[in-house]
Amino acid sequence: MTQVTLEHIRAARERIAGKVERTPTVLSPSLSEQLGAQVHLKLEHRQTTGSFKLRGASNAVASLSADEKARGVVAASTGNHGRALAHAAKLEGLRVVICMSRLVPGNKLDEIRRLGAEVRIVGNSQDDAQQEVERLVAQEGLVMLPPFDHPSIIAGQGTLGLEMIEQVPDAALVLVQLSGGGLASGVAAAIKGVSPRTKVIGVSMARGAAMKASLDAGHPVLVEELPTLADSLGGGIGLDNRLTFGMCRDLLDDVILLSEDEIAAGIRHAYAQEREIVEGAGAVGIAALLAGKVRSDGPVIVLFSGRNIDMGLHRKIVCGEAPSIKERAA
């Protein structure tokens, strides 16, 4: 498979019906006034496990054969995919192992353990964690369900795009988080499949944006993984990337990068003006609007992708206290 299509995404929606929430989309008066166009917020951070990742994980688990389910599943994660996969696997009674680096925040580790997953902390990057995943696949026969570069994961995330364009059919622009590309490619495939004229822009942090660096280079490249408020967007895309690099290259209209201060401003705005608690990655869309990096003559959809932020860190940010690099990595 070279692309995940609208047909695959529609099939995924049928497969995960009843396993995920259809999250609401609401109008933001404050952001609409600032942009001079309607800005709609897709509240996916209200999803069952606190992020969009449950869509892809649920579709991937549901797509496994009986033999694969018996073997159990394993994945590398920056936190939210691990939580979603642990939840989806628990519902099916499957063994699940989540491998993560030391950069993953403690609150996300605790929740994954609470859901019954086995947790392995390996190295200082997503690539280090992935090496442990590959060892477990080879030695213990577990089935790898990666966080982004997998057709069932991409199709599951794409169901979010279907909801977006159904809720705002005249959307001119969609802002979507960009990391390994599973979300961005799935959402873009869904939206472009239904509304080809709608632009889709990926948004990421300036510190270690692997997909942006790869798109600029014309092929997947290694990028140092750095502490950031948008920790869910960390990690590489894999030098052997099969799907998301090509889909992001072909489907995204642009990519925007944000500083740490801009991301913090997005978190503060979400709390003060929208009355929503979102993590750093979840706030990058509104951060791009607040920073004046987005223009549109028509309706815009901004995705709130996750809420799984350490609340001590959140309090510091909303109170205007700049977190140290050490705290961003905590």
Side-chain angles (χ1 to χ4, degrees):
M1 180 184 292
T2 57
Q3 293 270 319
V4 173
T5 67
L6 182 60
E7 180 181 357
H8 297 125
I9 295 167
R10 285 175 169 158
R13 177 155 69 173
E14 295 296 320
R15 198 175 290 119
I16 65 177
K19 298 178 181 179
V20 303
E21 298 290 332
R22 180 180 174 91
T23 52
T25 295
V26 300
L27 184 69
S28 168
S30 62
L31 291 171
S32 297
E33 181 178 355
Q34 175 167 327
L35 187 64
Q38 288 187 349
V39 176
H40 301 266
L41 306 177
K42 176 61 169 171
L43 306 183
E44 183 66 10
H45 66 305
R46 298 184 185 178
Q47 189 57 255
T48 303
T49 58
S51 85
F52 72 92
K53 289 286 191 176
L54 186 60
R55 296 172 182 269
S58 296
N59 188 49
V61 168
S63 301
L64 295 175
S65 68
D67 174 69
E68 289 171 327
K69 289 181 179 180
R71 289 156 55 191
V73 297
V74 61
S77 174
T78 54
N80 285 337
H81 175 63
R83 182 173 179 175
L85 187 58
H87 178 89
K90 184 177 182 180
L91 291 180
E92 295 279 348
L94 310 186
R95 180 191 178 194
V96 57
V97 182
I98 306 299
C99 302
M100 293 174 283
S101 81
R102 296 185 183 93
L103 294 181
V104 177
N107 66 300
K108 294 185 177 181
L109 295 176
D110 293 342
E111 184 60 23
I112 291 169
R113 289 191 177 104
R114 187 190 68 78
L115 288 167
E118 301 171 39
V119 173
R120 309 284 176 91
I121 307 300
V122 184
N124 296 307
S125 72
Q126 184 88 328
D127 291 332
D128 292 338
Q130 181 60 32
Q131 290 180 11
E132 177 67 5
V133 169
E134 292 167 4
R135 186 190 71 79
L136 289 168
V137 170
Q139 296 184 8
E140 299 188 24
L142 293 171
V143 177
M144 180 172 61
L145 293 179
F148 54 89
D149 196 33
H150 186 287
S152 295
I153 297 290
I154 297 168
Q157 318 305 25
T159 64
L160 184 52
L162 291 180
E163 288 182 20
M164 286 176 164
I165 204 65
E166 288 167 357
Q167 291 166 333
V168 188
D170 59 344
L173 173 64
V174 173
L175 298 178
V176 60
Q177 285 72 5
L178 178 62
S179 179
L183 172 65
S185 60
V187 166
I191 289 174
K192 297 286 188 180
V194 175
S195 177
R197 294 185 179 180
T198 302
K199 292 184 177 180
V200 181
I201 294 179
V203 189
S204 195
M205 70 288 172
R207 292 175 59 82
M211 183 61 81
K212 177 63 163 71
S214 297
L215 292 172
D216 288 346
H219 57 85
V221 298
L222 293 174
V223 174
E224 183 182 4
E225 191 170 342
L226 300 168
T228 171
L229 288 176
D231 55 89
S232 294
L233 302 183
I237 71 166
L239 295 180
D240 58 349
N241 188 286
R242 298 181 302 123
L243 292 168
T244 61
F245 171 77
M247 291 181 68
C248 287
R249 178 195 61 211
D250 296 343
L251 296 173
L252 293 181
D253 293 282
D254 199 2
V255 175
I256 294 171
L257 299 183
L258 300 168
S259 71
E260 296 298 295
D261 287 343
E262 289 167 341
I263 296 168
I267 295 172
R268 283 194 292 271
H269 177 94
Y271 184 74
Q273 298 296 324
E274 314 299 341
R275 300 296 190 264
E276 301 288 347
I277 294 174
V278 295
E279 60 187 274
V284 295
I286 56 173
L289 290 176
L290 294 170
K293 295 183 175 180
V294 175
R295 295 179 181 178
S296 180
D297 296 327
V300 177
I301 307 175
V302 178
L303 175 62
F304 280 5
S305 60
R307 66 167 185 254
N308 299 320
I309 186 171
D310 177 85
M311 291 309 297
L313 174 61
H314 187 270
R315 283 191 292 273
K316 288 188 175 184
I317 294 170
V318 299
C319 291
E321 301 176 25
S324 68
I325 290 294
K326 182 178 180 181
E327 287 171 320
R328 296 174 197 182

XYZ file of all heavy atoms in Angstrom, residues 121-224:
735
model
N 11.260 1.602 29.671
C 11.894 2.904 29.454
C 13.283 2.662 28.883
O 14.134 2.034 29.532
C 11.994 3.711 30.761
C 10.627 3.817 31.432
C 12.580 5.106 30.484
C 9.585 4.501 30.587
N 13.512 3.163 27.660
C 14.748 2.852 26.946
C 15.314 4.118 26.293
O 14.666 4.716 25.430
C 14.515 1.785 25.852
C 15.829 1.413 25.187
C 13.841 0.559 26.429
N 16.494 4.544 26.707
C 17.218 5.601 26.009
C 16.592 6.977 26.118
O 15.720 7.247 26.943
N 17.055 7.866 25.231
C 16.667 9.270 25.263
C 15.939 9.727 24.008
O 15.852 10.930 23.757
C 17.908 10.152 25.473
C 18.554 9.909 26.818
O 17.890 9.979 27.853
N 19.844 9.598 26.811
N 15.424 8.787 23.238
C 14.716 9.176 22.023
C 13.719 8.095 21.626
O 13.798 6.949 22.092
C 15.696 9.401 20.860
O 16.221 8.158 20.407
N 12.822 8.493 20.749
C 11.848 7.546 20.201
C 12.565 6.444 19.415
O 12.136 5.285 19.406
C 10.867 8.310 19.295
C 9.748 7.469 18.721
C 8.546 7.389 19.627
O 8.689 7.420 20.843
N 7.370 7.304 19.055
N 13.665 6.786 18.769
C 14.430 5.794 18.012
C 15.014 4.725 18.939
O 15.043 3.534 18.591
C 15.549 6.478 17.227
C 15.018 7.343 16.096
O 13.922 7.039 15.577
O 15.695 8.320 15.734
N 15.484 5.137 20.135
C 15.989 4.168 21.110
C 14.876 3.223 21.550
O 15.075 2.000 21.657
C 16.556 4.895 22.336
C 17.813 5.686 22.029
O 18.482 5.361 21.029
O 18.124 6.623 22.786
N 13.704 3.788 21.810
C 12.566 2.962 22.217
C 12.169 1.989 21.118
O 11.798 0.839 21.383
C 11.390 3.856 22.599
N 12.277 2.441 19.870
C 11.901 1.585 18.744
C 12.823 0.366 18.635
O 12.379 -0.720 18.227
C 11.931 2.390 17.445
C 11.543 1.610 16.203
C 10.128 1.040 16.267
O 9.244 1.639 16.884
N 9.913 -0.108 15.636
N 14.074 0.519 19.011
C 14.988 -0.624 18.982
C 14.528 -1.715 19.945
O 14.626 -2.913 19.647
C 16.411 -0.167 19.327
C 17.054 0.688 18.254
C 18.464 1.120 18.624
O 19.049 0.627 19.588
N 19.025 2.047 17.861
N 14.009 -1.313 21.098
C 13.478 -2.294 22.054
C 12.231 -2.959 21.494
O 12.009 -4.168 21.685
C 13.171 -1.603 23.390
C 12.533 -2.501 24.446
C 13.447 -3.605 24.952
O 14.641 -3.646 24.563
O 12.965 -4.448 25.730
N 11.400 -2.206 20.787
C 10.214 -2.775 20.136
C 10.636 -3.873 19.169
O 10.071 -4.984 19.179
C 9.427 -1.684 19.381
C 8.356 -2.312 18.494
C 8.789 -0.714 20.366
N 11.616 -3.578 18.342
C 12.060 -4.554 17.352
C 12.648 -5.803 18.005
O 12.488 -6.924 17.493
C 13.047 -3.882 16.404
C 12.371 -2.816 15.533
C 13.344 -1.923 14.800
O 14.568 -2.168 14.904
O 12.891 -0.977 14.124
N 13.321 -5.624 19.139
C 13.850 -6.785 19.867
C 12.711 -7.667 20.371
O 12.770 -8.906 20.262
C 14.709 -6.312 21.046
C 15.417 -7.455 21.783
C 16.053 -7.001 23.074
N 15.062 -6.683 24.093
C 14.431 -7.599 24.824
N 14.677 -8.894 24.643
N 13.528 -7.240 25.719
N 11.651 -7.047 20.896
C 10.525 -7.804 21.420
C 9.758 -8.525 20.307
O 9.269 -9.635 20.505
C 9.589 -6.872 22.186
C 10.132 -6.361 23.521
C 9.271 -5.230 24.050
C 10.218 -7.491 24.538
N 9.682 -7.907 19.152
C 9.046 -8.554 18.002
C 9.838 -9.790 17.600
O 9.268 -10.869 17.371
C 8.930 -7.568 16.822
C 8.496 -8.306 15.558
C 7.940 -6.459 17.151
N 11.166 -9.651 17.536
C 12.020 -10.746 17.087
C 12.107 -11.874 18.111
O 12.074 -13.061 17.752
C 13.418 -10.213 16.780
N 12.198 -11.538 19.392
C 12.457 -12.543 20.420
C 11.202 -13.099 21.082
O 11.197 -14.247 21.542
C 13.387 -11.956 21.487
C 14.766 -11.600 20.964
C 15.710 -11.099 22.051
O 15.398 -11.149 23.241
N 16.879 -10.616 21.653
N 10.139 -12.302 21.148
C 8.937 -12.756 21.854
C 7.714 -12.876 20.949
O 6.651 -13.290 21.401
C 8.634 -11.817 23.028
C 9.754 -11.780 24.066
C 9.371 -11.007 25.318
O 8.159 -10.898 25.605
O 10.283 -10.509 26.001
N 7.846 -12.493 19.684
C 6.770 -12.683 18.732
C 5.619 -11.710 18.841
O 4.544 -11.944 18.275
N 5.825 -10.594 19.566
C 4.764 -9.601 19.683
C 4.515 -8.922 18.335
O 5.407 -8.856 17.486
C 5.140 -8.547 20.729
C 5.223 -9.040 22.180
C 5.813 -7.951 23.069
C 3.856 -9.457 22.681
N 3.309 -8.419 18.154
C 2.937 -7.718 16.919
C 3.160 -6.224 17.107
O 2.621 -5.630 18.045
C 1.460 -7.988 16.560
C 1.062 -7.204 15.311
C 1.235 -9.474 16.353
N 3.940 -5.625 16.231
C 4.230 -4.199 16.346
C 3.093 -3.366 15.758
O 2.691 -3.557 14.612
C 5.535 -3.856 15.619
C 5.905 -2.379 15.686
S 7.552 -2.018 15.028
C 7.376 -2.550 13.321
N 2.588 -2.431 16.547
C 1.597 -1.458 16.084
C 2.189 -0.073 16.320
O 2.014 0.511 17.393
C 0.266 -1.624 16.821
C -0.497 -2.916 16.538
C -1.791 -2.967 17.342
C -0.800 -3.062 15.040
N 2.910 0.456 15.340
C 3.645 1.714 15.521
C 2.705 2.899 15.664
O 1.525 2.822 15.298
C 4.474 1.811 14.240
C 3.704 1.027 13.232
C 3.067 -0.106 13.990
N 3.213 4.019 16.177
C 2.348 5.170 16.446
C 1.863 5.908 15.213
O 0.892 6.660 15.304
C 3.227 6.071 17.323
C 4.624 5.664 17.023
C 4.573 4.198 16.713
N 2.503 5.728 14.057
C 2.059 6.516 12.899
C 2.205 5.827 11.561
O 1.292 5.861 10.751
C 2.765 7.882 12.868
C 4.276 7.798 12.914
C 5.011 7.695 11.757
C 4.947 7.863 14.126
C 6.395 7.628 11.792
C 6.339 7.806 14.173
C 7.064 7.689 12.998
N 3.311 5.169 11.258
C 3.571 4.676 9.906
C 2.983 3.278 9.696
O 3.707 2.301 9.503
C 5.080 4.679 9.629
C 5.399 4.562 8.143
O 4.609 5.086 7.328
O 6.434 3.960 7.801
N 1.651 3.203 9.751
C 0.945 1.934 9.640
C -0.423 2.233 9.036
O -1.107 3.160 9.479
C 0.798 1.321 11.032
C 0.218 -0.059 11.062
N -1.124 -0.299 10.822
C 0.789 -1.267 11.314
C -1.346 -1.598 10.922
N -0.207 -2.209 11.216
N -0.853 1.474 8.024
C -2.102 1.819 7.332
C -3.330 1.852 8.234
O -4.190 2.723 8.078
C -2.221 0.738 6.250
C -1.287 -0.358 6.667
C -0.183 0.309 7.407
N -3.425 0.924 9.187
C -4.595 0.914 10.068
C -4.584 2.102 11.034
O -5.639 2.642 11.383
C -4.651 -0.396 10.860
O -4.853 -1.497 9.999
N -3.393 2.494 11.475
C -3.263 3.664 12.350
C -3.667 4.920 11.591
O -4.465 5.745 12.070
C -1.826 3.795 12.881
C -1.443 2.584 13.751
C -1.653 5.110 13.636
C -2.152 2.504 15.076
N -3.136 5.099 10.391
C -3.440 6.286 9.584
C -4.931 6.361 9.266
O -5.552 7.423 9.389
C -2.619 6.263 8.284
C -1.124 6.333 8.587
C -3.036 7.420 7.358
C -0.242 6.038 7.386
N -5.511 5.235 8.875
C -6.942 5.222 8.540
C -7.785 5.572 9.753
O -8.780 6.309 9.652
C -7.336 3.862 7.982
N -7.397 5.048 10.927
C -8.131 5.373 12.140
C -8.064 6.853 12.470
O -9.083 7.481 12.798
N -6.864 7.442 12.358
C -6.744 8.884 12.612
C -7.524 9.682 11.562
O -8.044 10.767 11.856
C -5.275 9.339 12.595
C -4.261 8.462 13.280
C -4.493 8.096 14.722
O -5.636 8.086 15.190
N -3.427 7.762 15.425
N -7.604 9.156 10.378
C -8.335 9.843 9.313
C -9.810 10.016 9.596
O -10.450 10.926 9.053
N -10.375 9.172 10.476
C -11.790 9.332 10.821
C -12.053 10.683 11.469
O -13.162 11.211 11.395
C -12.272 8.206 11.755
O -11.573 8.264 13.019
C -12.041 6.844 11.123
N -11.032 11.238 12.089
C -11.144 12.578 12.667
C -11.366 13.616 11.571
O -12.168 14.546 11.724
C -9.862 12.887 13.451
C -9.739 14.175 14.239
C -10.911 14.373 15.175
C -8.431 14.170 15.009
N -10.678 13.448 10.444
C -10.865 14.352 9.312
C -12.270 14.283 8.749
O -12.844 15.312 8.355
N -12.842 13.074 8.700
C -14.224 12.940 8.233
C -15.174 13.740 9.117
O -16.062 14.445 8.625
C -14.645 11.471 8.225
C -13.992 10.554 7.185
C -14.546 9.139 7.332
C -14.218 11.067 5.776
N -14.993 13.638 10.425
C -15.859 14.379 11.343
C -15.691 15.891 11.156
O -16.667 16.643 11.157
C -15.545 14.002 12.789
C -16.008 12.604 13.166
C -15.722 12.270 14.615
O -15.517 13.210 15.425
O -15.693 11.078 14.951
N -14.456 16.330 10.994
C -14.180 17.762 10.834
C -14.931 18.347 9.638
O -15.616 19.368 9.746
C -12.675 17.993 10.639
C -11.824 17.840 11.862
S -10.084 18.038 11.369
C -9.323 18.300 12.951
N -14.812 17.698 8.497
C -15.395 18.265 7.283
C -16.916 18.080 7.271
O -17.632 18.849 6.610
C -14.727 17.661 6.023
C -14.857 18.615 4.834
C -15.252 16.274 5.709
C -14.108 19.928 4.986
N -17.417 17.104 8.001
C -18.868 16.967 8.148
C -19.428 18.053 9.064
O -20.527 18.572 8.831
C -19.210 15.585 8.706
C -19.005 14.456 7.706
C -19.027 13.083 8.330
O -19.148 12.981 9.564
O -18.925 12.088 7.569
N -18.677 18.414 10.086
C -19.140 19.419 11.038
C -18.980 20.842 10.509
O -19.740 21.734 10.877
C -18.404 19.234 12.370
C -18.816 17.947 13.095
C -17.874 17.562 14.219
O -16.689 17.897 14.221
N -18.398 16.835 15.207
N -17.966 21.060 9.657
C -17.765 22.378 9.027
C -17.551 22.155 7.530
O -16.432 22.204 7.029
C -16.554 23.123 9.642
C -16.493 24.569 9.120
C -16.613 23.119 11.164
N -18.624 21.898 6.767
C -18.494 21.518 5.353
C -17.836 22.574 4.476
O -17.261 22.232 3.435
C -19.947 21.269 4.924
C -20.701 21.027 6.185
C -20.031 21.862 7.227
N -17.931 23.846 4.882
C -17.360 24.917 4.055
C -15.975 25.338 4.530
O -15.495 26.434 4.187
C -18.293 26.133 4.036
C -18.560 26.697 5.425
O -18.292 25.989 6.426
O -19.039 27.846 5.520
N -15.294 24.494 5.305
C -13.963 24.837 5.810
C -13.006 25.147 4.661
O -12.903 24.385 3.698
C -13.406 23.703 6.657
N -12.313 26.274 4.786
C -11.308 26.651 3.796
C -9.923 26.157 4.195
O -9.057 25.952 3.337
C -11.282 28.174 3.634
N -9.720 25.972 5.504
C -8.393 25.616 6.013
C -8.535 24.768 7.270
O -9.396 25.040 8.118
C -7.610 26.893 6.351
C -6.266 26.738 7.059
C -5.265 26.001 6.185
C -5.716 28.100 7.467
N -7.688 23.758 7.378
C -7.621 22.924 8.572
C -6.185 22.945 9.085
O -5.238 22.741 8.320
C -8.052 21.476 8.274
C -7.811 20.578 9.488
C -9.509 21.423 7.855
N -6.029 23.192 10.389
C -4.713 23.145 11.036
C -4.624 21.855 11.835
O -5.446 21.600 12.716
C -4.525 24.350 11.955
C -4.542 25.725 11.284
C -4.393 26.833 12.320
C -3.443 25.827 10.237
N -3.606 21.049 11.536
C -3.486 19.728 12.157
C -2.062 19.527 12.670
O -1.091 19.952 12.038
C -3.876 18.617 11.151
C -2.981 18.633 9.929
C -3.858 17.248 11.804
N -1.946 18.877 13.811
C -0.640 18.611 14.410
C 0.183 17.705 13.496
O -0.345 16.770 12.893
C -0.819 17.948 15.776
C -1.262 18.868 16.887
C -2.713 19.327 16.805
O -3.472 18.884 15.942
N -3.121 20.197 17.701
N 1.497 17.981 13.452
C 2.389 17.209 12.589
C 3.570 16.701 13.392
O 4.356 17.475 13.927
C 2.890 18.068 11.425
C 3.874 17.390 10.468
C 3.225 16.188 9.783
C 4.387 18.383 9.436
N 3.691 15.398 13.471
C 4.828 14.759 14.125
C 5.348 13.671 13.193
O 5.963 13.958 12.177
C 4.417 14.190 15.478
O 5.496 13.557 16.118
N 5.028 12.409 13.488
C 5.397 11.340 12.568
C 4.537 11.301 11.331
O 4.874 10.653 10.343
N 3.391 11.989 11.387
C 2.560 12.133 10.202
C 1.342 11.242 10.132
O 0.567 11.344 9.178
N 1.116 10.369 11.122
C -0.060 9.511 11.077
C -1.354 10.303 11.131
O -2.285 10.048 10.359
N -1.402 11.281 12.024
C -2.581 12.139 12.139
C -2.715 13.034 10.922
O -3.773 13.107 10.290
C -2.488 12.984 13.409
C -3.552 14.061 13.584
C -4.942 13.440 13.731
C -3.227 14.947 14.784
N -1.653 13.748 10.596
C -1.718 14.725 9.504
C -2.046 14.067 8.174
O -2.869 14.576 7.398
C -0.402 15.491 9.407
N -1.432 12.922 7.892
C -1.693 12.268 6.607
C -3.104 11.702 6.554
O -3.791 11.795 5.531
C -0.660 11.168 6.343
O -0.699 10.176 7.338
N -3.580 11.115 7.664
C -4.930 10.570 7.683
C -5.988 11.647 7.567
O -6.944 11.522 6.794
N -5.825 12.727 8.343
C -6.772 13.838 8.284
C -6.764 14.476 6.899
O -7.825 14.775 6.327
C -6.454 14.880 9.375
C -7.202 16.189 9.124
C -6.815 14.331 10.748
N -5.581 14.687 6.329
C -5.492 15.304 5.004
C -6.122 14.418 3.941
O -6.816 14.909 3.040
C -4.034 15.597 4.663
N -5.907 13.098 4.023
C -6.502 12.184 3.040
C -8.019 12.234 3.114
O -8.707 12.230 2.078
C -6.005 10.761 3.279
N -8.565 12.298 4.337
C -10.016 12.348 4.497
C -10.580 13.656 3.964
O -11.555 13.675 3.206
C -10.381 12.174 5.971
N -9.965 14.753 4.366
C -10.491 16.066 3.990
C -10.323 16.323 2.494
O -11.263 16.779 1.821
C -9.817 17.163 4.827
C -10.323 17.069 6.275
C -10.087 18.556 4.248
C -9.645 17.977 7.237
N -9.169 16.020 1.947
C -8.956 16.218 0.507
C -9.858 15.285 -0.309
O -10.286 15.635 -1.415
C -7.496 15.968 0.146
C -6.498 16.917 0.799
C -6.519 18.289 0.177
C -5.380 19.138 0.713
N -5.359 20.497 0.123
N -10.152 14.107 0.256
C -11.029 13.173 -0.452
C -12.454 13.666 -0.557
O -13.145 13.385 -1.538
N -12.894 14.414 0.457
C -14.257 14.937 0.475
C -14.324 16.352 -0.086
O -15.263 16.715 -0.803
C -14.818 14.914 1.917
C -16.188 15.579 1.984
C -14.885 13.483 2.444
N -13.321 17.176 0.240
C -13.320 18.593 -0.133
C -11.938 18.984 -0.646
O -11.122 19.540 0.093
C -13.696 19.454 1.088
O -13.651 20.822 0.789
N -11.626 18.688 -1.915
C -10.282 18.893 -2.447
C -9.768 20.325 -2.335
O -8.542 20.542 -2.284
C -10.422 18.477 -3.921
C -11.606 17.570 -3.954
C -12.541 18.086 -2.904
N -10.650 21.308 -2.288
C -10.207 22.704 -2.238
C -9.805 23.150 -0.836
O -9.178 24.209 -0.672
C -11.322 23.618 -2.766
C -11.618 23.422 -4.246
C -12.643 24.429 -4.734
N -12.924 24.261 -6.164
C -13.773 25.011 -6.850
N -14.435 25.989 -6.229
N -13.969 24.782 -8.132
N -10.162 22.395 0.175
C -9.797 22.754 1.549
C -8.300 22.553 1.754
O -7.766 21.484 1.467
C -10.577 21.904 2.559
O -11.975 22.097 2.354
C -10.222 22.299 3.987
N -7.634 23.580 2.267
C -6.206 23.477 2.543
C -5.988 22.799 3.892
O -6.755 23.003 4.837
C -5.553 24.856 2.545
C -5.503 25.520 1.181
C -4.750 26.843 1.255
C -4.638 27.481 -0.129
N -3.910 28.778 -0.066
N -4.926 22.016 3.971
C -4.549 21.364 5.225
C -3.097 21.724 5.515
O -2.203 21.472 4.696
C -4.707 19.835 5.153
C -4.326 19.202 6.495
C -6.144 19.455 4.773
N -2.868 22.347 6.675
C -1.533 22.784 7.070
C -1.105 22.035 8.323
O -1.844 21.967 9.304
C -1.497 24.306 7.328
C -1.743 25.063 6.018
C -0.159 24.720 7.937
C -1.749 26.570 6.179
N 0.086 21.469 8.291
C 0.651 20.799 9.453
C 1.324 21.804 10.367
O 1.961 22.753 9.902
N 1.201 21.596 11.674
C 1.793 22.508 12.653
C 2.637 21.695 13.630
O 2.201 20.667 14.150
C 0.714 23.290 13.428
C 1.374 24.381 14.275
C -0.312 23.894 12.487
N 3.851 22.167 13.881
C 4.757 21.458 14.778
C 5.604 22.460 15.550
O 5.503 23.678 15.351
C 5.656 20.502 13.988
O 6.294 19.577 14.833
N 6.450 21.948 16.444
C 7.349 22.798 17.207
C 8.669 22.945 16.460
O 9.043 22.088 15.659
C 7.584 22.224 18.600
C 8.415 20.956 18.641
S 7.539 19.525 18.015
C 8.856 18.298 17.986
N 9.367 24.040 16.708
C 10.637 24.275 16.027
C 11.732 23.351 16.550
O 12.687 23.053 15.824
C 11.052 25.738 16.206
N 11.609 22.883 17.789
C 12.638 22.045 18.416
C 12.456 20.579 18.019
O 11.651 19.865 18.607
C 12.582 22.185 19.937
C 12.997 23.561 20.444
C 12.804 23.677 21.946
N 13.560 22.679 22.692
C 14.855 22.774 23.006
N 15.545 23.859 22.644
N 15.467 21.827 23.687
N 13.174 20.153 16.984
C 13.171 18.739 16.616
C 12.008 18.293 15.762
O 11.472 17.202 15.976
N 11.589 19.116 14.800
C 10.462 18.766 13.916
C 10.961 17.842 12.803
O 11.399 18.296 11.739
C 9.842 20.025 13.335
N 10.855 16.537 13.029
C 11.455 15.561 12.117
C 10.788 15.532 10.752
O 11.473 15.425 9.718
C 11.420 14.172 12.745
N 9.465 15.611 10.701
C 8.798 15.559 9.402
C 9.122 16.792 8.573
O 9.358 16.681 7.359
C 7.290 15.408 9.574
C 6.525 15.262 8.250
S 6.980 13.808 7.255
C 6.019 12.534 8.089
N 9.148 17.952 9.188
C 9.474 19.180 8.440
C 10.883 19.094 7.869
O 11.118 19.418 6.691
C 9.352 20.396 9.361
C 9.743 21.731 8.690
C 8.815 22.057 7.539
C 8.889 23.524 7.131
N 10.153 23.891 6.452
N 11.834 18.632 8.678
C 13.206 18.491 8.195
C 13.287 17.485 7.053
O 14.024 17.687 6.076
C 14.123 18.068 9.339
N 12.508 16.413 7.151
C 12.504 15.387 6.109
C 11.874 15.914 4.826
O 12.382 15.669 3.721
C 11.769 14.144 6.604
O 12.415 13.572 7.715
N 10.773 16.650 4.949
C 10.140 17.233 3.766
C 11.064 18.217 3.085
O 11.151 18.264 1.851
C 8.821 17.907 4.163
C 7.704 16.972 4.632
C 6.532 17.778 5.175
C 7.247 16.045 3.514
N 11.788 18.997 3.868
C 12.741 19.962 3.298
C 13.875 19.253 2.570
O 14.349 19.722 1.530
C 13.308 20.859 4.400
C 12.304 21.865 4.931
O 11.258 22.061 4.281
O 12.565 22.454 6.000
N 14.302 18.106 3.129
C 15.411 17.354 2.527
C 14.965 16.522 1.331
O 15.792 16.120 0.504
C 16.050 16.448 3.578
N 13.670 16.242 1.244
C 13.159 15.411 0.166
C 13.188 13.927 0.464
O 12.834 13.108 -0.387
N 13.569 13.562 1.690
C 13.608 12.167 2.116
C 13.695 12.137 3.637
O 14.081 13.129 4.263
C 14.810 11.431 1.510
C 16.128 12.075 1.834
N 16.821 11.812 3.003
C 16.860 13.006 1.172
C 17.936 12.531 3.017
N 17.984 13.260 1.918
N 13.336 11.009 4.265
C 13.407 10.935 5.722
C 14.826 11.152 6.237
O 15.797 10.596 5.692
C 12.924 9.506 6.024
C 12.054 9.156 4.863
C 12.722 9.794 3.673
N 14.941 11.980 7.271
C 16.245 12.256 7.884
C 16.137 12.114 9.395
O 15.057 12.167 9.971
C 16.752 13.675 7.537
C 16.951 13.831 6.035
C 15.786 14.735 8.069
N 17.302 11.939 10.026
C 17.365 11.890 11.482
C 17.425 13.299 12.044
O 18.132 14.157 11.515
C 18.601 11.104 11.931
C 18.619 9.602 11.612
C 19.961 9.002 11.997
C 17.484 8.889 12.331
N 16.699 13.542 13.116
C 16.701 14.834 13.796
C 16.836 14.575 15.285
O 16.192 13.669 15.829
C 15.394 15.614 13.513
C 15.324 16.888 14.339
C 15.292 15.945 12.031
N 17.667 15.365 15.946
C 17.828 15.198 17.389
C 16.508 15.478 18.105
O 15.849 16.488 17.845
C 18.903 16.145 17.921
C 19.165 15.978 19.411
C 20.203 16.957 19.959
O 20.659 17.812 19.181
O 20.526 16.858 21.164
